[in-house]
Structure formats: C-alpha cells, structure tokens
Amino acid sequence: MYQDFNSIAGNKDLIYVHQGPFDVTADPGAWRLWNKPRNARFVNILVIGGGGGGGGGGANTGSAIAAGGGGGGSGGATRLYVLASLLPDQLYTRAGIGGRGGSGQIRGGSAGTAGTNGTQSYVSISPNTTAVDLICLANGGNGGGAGATATAGAAGAAGAIATVAASPGLGLGVHTLVAGSAGIIGTAGTAGTNSTAFTTNYFCCGGAGGGGVNAASSVVRGGSLTTGGTWPAFTASVSSNGSDGLNAGINLESLLLTGNTMRYPLVSTGGCGADGLFLNSGVGYDGGRGGFGSGGGGGGGVNGSGTSETGGRGGSGGSGLIIIQSIL
C-alpha cells in the first residue's frame, strides 16, 4: 500500500527489509515487491550478497597430518542513494542465499567437498535479472575448499565488486561499490589463521579456516574471528565446533522492522574454524555459521586408527540482505 499524505509513516512504511533464506540447498528464486511511499523524497538502498560456505575437513590415518577446510568468502555490498522521483513506483527484490558448508572427507572413502557459493542479491524494475532492468546487485562470496588428508582447504574467494555495466540503474544516483572479503585457508598441522572483521568490507567478512591434527596427533586449533575494541570475541572452546559469527541465524526482518535496540551497528562476521580432532571412529567438529553476507568457517580435520573417521562439515555462509529506506 502506498503512503497516504494524511497519515504518519510508520517504521514498516519507511524501512523495507528482505533477508534471504539460510541453510537451504538451492536458491528458491523468490521475488518480493517494494512500493515507493508517495511522499518519499530520497531512497537509500543497501544490497549485500550471500556468503560462501566453509569447506569440509580432511581425514587421515593416525600419526599423520589431517588438514582443515577453508573458510568461505563474504558477499559484496552495494549502496545507492537516489532521488525517489527517479525510481518507478514499484521495485522487485531478490535476496541471495548463503552457501552450504561442505562435507568432510571419509578416511579410506569419499573425498570432502568444498562449500557452495553464496548467490547474488538484486533490486530490479521487474522480477528478472536482465542487466538493463537492474537497479542494484551485489555478488555472493565463494565457498572454501575442502581439506584432503594433509592438504589444507583453499580460502573462499571474495564476492566480486559490482559494476554499473551489470546494473545500469546505479547511474541514477550516488553509489558505492564494495567487494567482499576472502575467507581464510585451512591449516595443515599448524594453528589456524584468524579472520579479521571490518577491514576490506565493513558489513561482513570471510570465515576462518578449520584446524586439523599434526603428525604427533595433537589437536590444532581452528581460526577465530578478531574484532577489537569493545566488540565481542568469537572463539571456540578447545576441542569444539567453531563459533557462529555475529548476527548468524538472526531474523533481521523482525529485528529492524520492530525498532528493537541494538548494542552494535548492523554488521556481521564470518564463522570460526573448527578445531581438529584425534579419533578412533566418528566425525570431527563443524565450522561456525557466518552472519548475513559473511562466510562460513572451515570444518576440522581428523586422524585416527579406526576405519571411517570423517572430517567435520564446513559452516554455512550467511544469507544475502536488502534494505530499502525511504526518506520523506
């Protein structure tokens, strides 16, 4: 419904939020409709692509290095500030999904799998992704690679920066185009490298790499998320799954439309990498989930003397996000 001149616009009239689904196996391709308030003067649009999933951990025999999976890359972010009169009365939005975490390697069996890529988020004048119809888009981050015995999983690539050629509607206003940030490579017998938030892309970041087990069958820690200042620390306890990132699994549509108080600005972080594990049988630790647009953490590697040790799963990447703010 359009904004009536004689009524006072509420929060739901002026702020529109479309968050993609999380922990799904395929992009449902769902479009939603945004109606421009009649008395809007400016429109501020933020679009973030989905984060890539973390790679699964490797598995190896006892007294041999077992490597962790790589962290997923984060999605890119696009901002557009435009005169409301230059936009049509209705726009269509489609928020990307976060990539699924990859499965762990089975010792003596199937190889582990990489995390899947996050998908693009779109704002369009019609429910399609034809370039000439697009007002904004943001690319998704790539999934982290799987650990393979003693070979660490590769870091997931950052979501590529969007271009005006791919979404010509950006030329209608003042726009900012930001690439995502890459995930962190898994570890092969040494301590995992941390992922640092709020550097390349303020809104989201890549996931940390998974830990493994060294040749002495000593557990190797997965990577953590470093923030600094008064922000919370994201680290897992020793011998455990990787911690989920900031704003992982949060229903942002409910949070933003109800005007709830937030302790921190609306940003997210990637998931932490899982620790390695020495086993006689069973499954290793899983990587943490990423917050919206951020990458999942890598799964932990395992070694042991059994017959079916399985590396941990990578964490899921965070869903894409679209926020449209109307300014009266």
Side-chain angles (χ1 to χ4, degrees):
M1 175 179 284
Y2 296 156
Q3 177 67 36
D4 189 285
F5 284 108
N6 297 314
S7 67
I8 299 175
N11 205 42
K12 291 186 178 181
D13 298 308
L14 299 182
I15 299 177
Y16 169 93
V17 183
H18 184 176
Q19 182 179 10
F22 29 84
D23 290 335
V24 296
T25 56
D27 189 345
W31 291 91
R32 294 187 191 174
L33 183 64
W34 171 80
N35 290 310
K36 180 175 66 177
R38 288 182 179 176
N39 49 344
R41 298 175 61 199
F42 298 95
V43 176
N44 192 23
I45 302 174
L46 171 63
V47 183
I48 299 173
N60 212 341
T61 187
S63 301
I65 293 173
S74 78
T78 297
R79 290 175 288 183
L80 174 66
Y81 188 76
V82 59
L83 284 167
S85 59
L86 300 183
L87 295 177
D89 289 340
Q90 295 179 324
L91 293 174
Y92 293 85
T93 67
R94 177 174 163 183
I97 66 171
R100 294 277 289 179
S103 59
Q105 180 181 17
I106 300 174
R107 189 168 80 83
S110 59
T113 59
T116 57
N117 298 340
T119 64
Q120 292 175 310
S121 294
Y122 303 94
V123 178
S124 179
I125 65 172
S126 60
N128 67 62
T129 60
T130 304
V132 71
D133 287 346
L134 294 181
I135 300 298
C136 290
L137 74 83
N139 292 305
N142 289 3
T149 56
T151 303
I161 193 169
T163 64
V164 176
S167 52
L170 288 169
L172 293 170
V174 180
H175 54 269
T176 304
L177 309 174
V178 183
S181 59
I184 303 296
I185 188 172
T187 182
T190 58
T193 302
N194 298 335
S195 178
T196 304
F198 319 139
T199 52
T200 304
N201 181 333
Y202 182 77
F203 295 104
C204 47
C205 72
V213 188
N214 63 25
S217 295
S218 295
V219 169
V220 176
R221 299 299 310 276
S224 300
L225 262 295
T226 60
T227 51
T230 60
W231 292 80
F234 294 94
T235 58
S237 301
V238 176
S239 299
S240 69
N241 296 329
S243 297
D244 292 341
L246 179 67
N247 279 320
I250 299 296
N251 185 338
L252 296 172
E253 296 183 41
S254 174
L255 177 68
L256 294 174
L257 295 178
T258 56
N260 288 342
T261 300
M262 295 187 293
R263 169 66 177 84
Y264 298 98
L266 186 68
V267 295
S268 78
T269 67
C272 294
D275 288 352
L277 183 62
F278 174 75
L279 292 171
N280 287 322
S281 63
V283 180
Y285 296 120
D286 298 338
R289 298 178 299 166
F292 66 85
S294 290
V302 300
N303 72 6
S305 56
T307 57
S308 61
E309 294 87 1
T310 303
R313 288 193 63 89
S316 297
S319 56
L321 178 66
I322 298 170
I323 300 175
I324 303 178
Q325 178 189 22
S326 301
I327 302 169
L328 304 181

